[in-house]
Amino acid sequence: MHDRVIVKFARRDDVEGRARSGGPSVRPTVRSRRLGGKLGTYRRGSGLSGTELAARLGIHQATWSKVESGKAKASPAVLARAVEELGIPGDVAAQLTELRRKADEAGWWQDYGDILSEAVQMLIELEADASWIRTYEGEVIPGLLQTRDYAEQVIAAGAPHMRAADIDRYLELRMRRRERLGQGPRLTAIIGEAAIRQQVGGPDVLRDQLRHIVEVIRGRDVTVQVVPFSAGAHAALGESFVIIQWPDEADPQAVYVDGVTSWTVHERSGVIRSYLHAIASVQSRALPPRASLDLIDDLIEELR
């Protein structure tokens, strides 16, 4: 997605003390929420209620509820006791311990905390541990595929009052995000034909942008498919979204949806199924990868 700039967001992810203190609520980080979600799944599978498990662990039910929602992290001792009480296998327990450790780490993106919107921070956190990212954009090149010049035009148009110095830092942030494509995650980008024809920044900027896409396709684990104007209606029409899959297939997927004035992260299975249907629908109407690459090459020639 092209990641709209909305508002600055400062976060603090704390352990039980802050959660009980009566201070301002904290937004769960992606890693702490994944940790809590896994613990909740095993707790429900055991047949225990949250109150019953909390009593066995020697903590308040409200504290355990915050752990499952990701708003507080279990201490190492509480996590170890929960693993034992819930009969969690050793390999999964190791994953939970690692998630807890990573949830304490400051993400590289926090270097940009003074300019980073809550929406973009959430998207970057979702991407941080992803093994597969699927995105649909009808009118704009997805952020992970953007060149610096193209991104500058998109950012400046979306935030006309942003200071030039902040735009430069935001561009630096986006280029650092783009580096992730060479470090593991697989990317499948479904792009509307309008996105590859709209001359954002003029023909030279668009030509360089399209050349960059070709280079990325040929050098990394990236698939790009173009939805031609002739494709007709599909289930993703009018939408733009990102579907995140993590390495552990047992982890639930998440869907990030960005709009002009709001953004949402969906984690409920029913909603995720709807977006999986939507991306399957649009992908079935898109050109195959080879034909999409040929179309992009043809357009590059037209822009010479």
Coordinates of all heavy atoms in Angstrom, one line a residue, residues 2-6 151-162 167 260:
H2 N 0.3 2.4 -0.3 CA 1.2 3.6 -0.4 C 1.3 4.3 0.9 O 1.9 5.4 0.9 CB 0.7 4.5 -1.5 CG -0.8 4.8 -1.5 ND1 -1.7 4.0 -2.0 CD2 -1.4 6.0 -1.1 CE1 -2.9 4.6 -1.8 NE2 -2.7 5.8 -1.3
D3 N 0.7 3.9 2.0 CA 1.0 4.3 3.3 C 0.7 5.8 3.5 O 1.6 6.6 3.5 CB 2.4 4.0 3.7 CG 2.9 2.7 3.2 OD1 2.1 1.8 3.0 OD2 4.1 2.6 2.9
R4 N -0.5 6.2 3.8 CA -0.8 7.6 4.0 C -0.2 8.1 5.3 O -0.1 7.4 6.3 CB -2.3 7.8 4.0 CG -3.0 7.4 2.7 CD -4.5 7.5 2.8 NE -5.0 7.2 1.5 CZ -5.2 6.0 0.9 NH1 -4.9 4.9 1.6 NH2 -5.8 5.9 -0.3
V5 N 0.2 9.4 5.3 CA 0.7 10.1 6.5 C -0.5 10.7 7.2 O -1.1 11.6 6.7 CB 1.7 11.1 6.1 CG1 2.3 11.7 7.3 CG2 2.8 10.5 5.2
I6 N -0.8 10.3 8.5 CA -1.9 10.8 9.2 C -1.5 11.6 10.4 O -1.6 12.8 10.4 CB -2.9 9.7 9.5 CG1 -3.2 8.8 8.3 CG2 -4.2 10.2 10.1 CD1 -4.0 7.6 8.6
A151 N 7.8 7.7 -4.7 CA 7.3 7.8 -3.3 C 7.2 9.3 -2.9 O 6.3 9.7 -2.2 CB 8.2 7.0 -2.4
E152 N 8.2 10.1 -3.3 CA 8.1 11.5 -2.9 C 6.9 12.2 -3.4 O 6.3 13.0 -2.8 CB 9.4 12.2 -3.4 CG 9.5 13.7 -3.0 CD 10.8 14.3 -3.4 OE1 11.6 13.7 -4.2 OE2 11.1 15.4 -3.0
Q153 N 6.6 11.9 -4.7 CA 5.4 12.5 -5.3 C 4.1 12.1 -4.5 O 3.2 12.9 -4.3 CB 5.3 12.1 -6.8 CG 6.4 12.6 -7.6 CD 6.4 14.1 -7.8 OE1 5.3 14.7 -7.8 NE2 7.5 14.7 -7.8
V154 N 4.0 10.8 -4.2 CA 2.8 10.3 -3.5 C 2.7 10.9 -2.1 O 1.6 11.3 -1.7 CB 2.9 8.7 -3.4 CG1 1.8 8.2 -2.6 CG2 2.8 8.1 -4.8
I155 N 3.8 10.9 -1.4 CA 3.8 11.5 0.0 C 3.5 12.9 0.0 O 2.7 13.4 0.8 CB 5.2 11.2 0.7 CG1 5.4 9.7 0.9 CG2 5.3 12.0 2.0 CD1 6.8 9.3 1.3
A156 N 4.1 13.7 -0.9 CA 3.9 15.1 -1.0 C 2.4 15.4 -1.3 O 1.8 16.4 -0.8 CB 4.8 15.8 -2.0
A157 N 1.8 14.6 -2.2 CA 0.4 14.8 -2.6 C -0.5 14.5 -1.4 O -1.6 15.1 -1.2 CB 0.1 14.0 -3.8
G158 N -0.2 13.5 -0.6 CA -1.0 13.0 0.4 C -0.9 13.9 1.7 O -1.8 13.9 2.6
A159 N 0.2 14.6 1.8 CA 0.5 15.4 3.0 C 1.1 16.7 2.6 O 2.2 17.0 2.8 CB 1.4 14.7 4.0
P160 N 0.2 17.6 1.9 CA 0.8 18.8 1.3 C 1.4 19.8 2.3 O 2.2 20.7 1.9 CB -0.5 19.4 0.6 CG -1.6 18.8 1.4 CD -1.2 17.5 1.8
H161 N 1.1 19.7 3.6 CA 1.6 20.6 4.6 C 2.8 20.1 5.3 O 3.3 20.7 6.3 CB 0.5 21.0 5.6 CG -0.7 21.6 4.9 ND1 -0.7 22.7 4.2 CD2 -2.0 21.1 4.9 CE1 -1.9 23.0 3.7 NE2 -2.7 22.0 4.1
M162 N 3.3 18.9 5.0 CA 4.4 18.3 5.7 C 5.7 19.1 5.3 O 5.9 19.5 4.1 CB 4.6 16.8 5.3 CG 5.8 16.1 6.0 SD 6.0 14.4 5.5 CE 4.6 13.7 6.4
I167 N 9.5 15.1 4.9 CA 9.3 14.3 3.7 C 10.6 13.5 3.5 O 10.6 12.3 3.1 CB 9.0 15.2 2.5 CG1 7.5 15.7 2.7 CG2 9.1 14.4 1.2 CD1 7.1 16.6 1.6
V260 N -8.5 6.9 3.1 CA -8.1 8.3 3.1 C -8.1 8.9 4.5 O -7.2 9.6 4.8 CB -9.0 9.1 2.1 CG1 -8.7 10.6 2.2 CG2 -8.9 8.6 0.7

